[in-house]
Amino acid sequence: MIALIQRATRGAVRVDNEVVGEIGAGLVCLVGVTRGDGAAQAERLAERVLNYRVFPDGAGRMNRSVREAGGGLLAVPQFTLAADTRRGNRPSFTPAADPAEAEALFDRFVAAIERGHGGPVATGRFGADMQVELVNDGPVTFWLEAPPG
């Protein structure tokens, strides 16, 4: 599984011009599921996202997690993160998990986030045409993985 996390001052997801998920300061987390991913990867990725230190401490160093900072977390399913882009000018989505399997693992990831986070948690809508808005703070962006196996 893959998470592209961005520290944000705010984030929102719209579907058909309706806000379906929104946070203030925190993390916007785009989530991709690859073939071979399972429950262990969903749980591990959630733990990494919750504990990854990207928020400033008193000295201004990135030394606090979203848990410690008390920020929100907006999780957005994004199958394009699983694309193979190594060749040509068109992505291949062969590495992406089957949609039903990916949705179940995204839901498991979100449930793990909700269990482990004391702050607000919001989500996009799996399979929907979404418009994602965020103000990236820094900018601070990291690619996290929980490899299969």
Side-chain angles (χ1 to χ4, degrees):
M1 284 185 77
I2 302 161
L4 181 76
I5 62 171
Q6 299 175 78
R7 188 176 73 193
T9 57
R10 65 177 175 79
V13 177
R14 294 178 188 278
V15 175
D16 296 326
N17 291 320
E18 174 190 346
V19 174
V20 297
E22 185 172 30
I23 61 165
L27 289 178
V28 174
C29 182
L30 307 176
V31 181
V33 182
T34 58
R35 292 183 189 276
D37 288 338
Q41 284 75 32
E43 298 286 334
R44 174 67 179 130
L45 190 61
E47 198 60 31
R48 290 199 71 205
V49 167
L50 289 172
N51 290 310
Y52 214 69
R53 298 183 302 176
V54 299
F55 291 90
D57 62 14
R61 292 194 173 120
M62 284 194 282
N63 207 23
R64 295 172 59 219
S65 69
V66 68
R67 281 177 169 160
E68 294 165 325
L73 202 144
L74 176 60
V76 181
Q78 187 168 348
F79 82 95
T80 60
L81 287 177
D84 181 351
T85 60
R86 294 175 292 178
R87 296 187 321 254
N89 294 317
R90 182 178 176 162
S92 166
F93 296 106
T94 302
D98 171 76
E101 181 182 340
E103 184 172 13
L105 289 174
F106 176 76
D107 289 347
R108 184 163 188 140
F109 169 83
V110 170
I113 292 287
E114 290 173 335
R115 279 193 314 272
H117 187 47
V121 176
T123 68
R125 189 173 295 155
F126 196 93
D129 181 19
M130 297 175 279
Q131 289 70 53
V132 180
E133 304 169 9
L134 74 137
V135 177
N136 192 319
D137 181 23
V140 173
T141 302
F142 292 97
W143 177 279
L144 303 178
E145 291 184 67

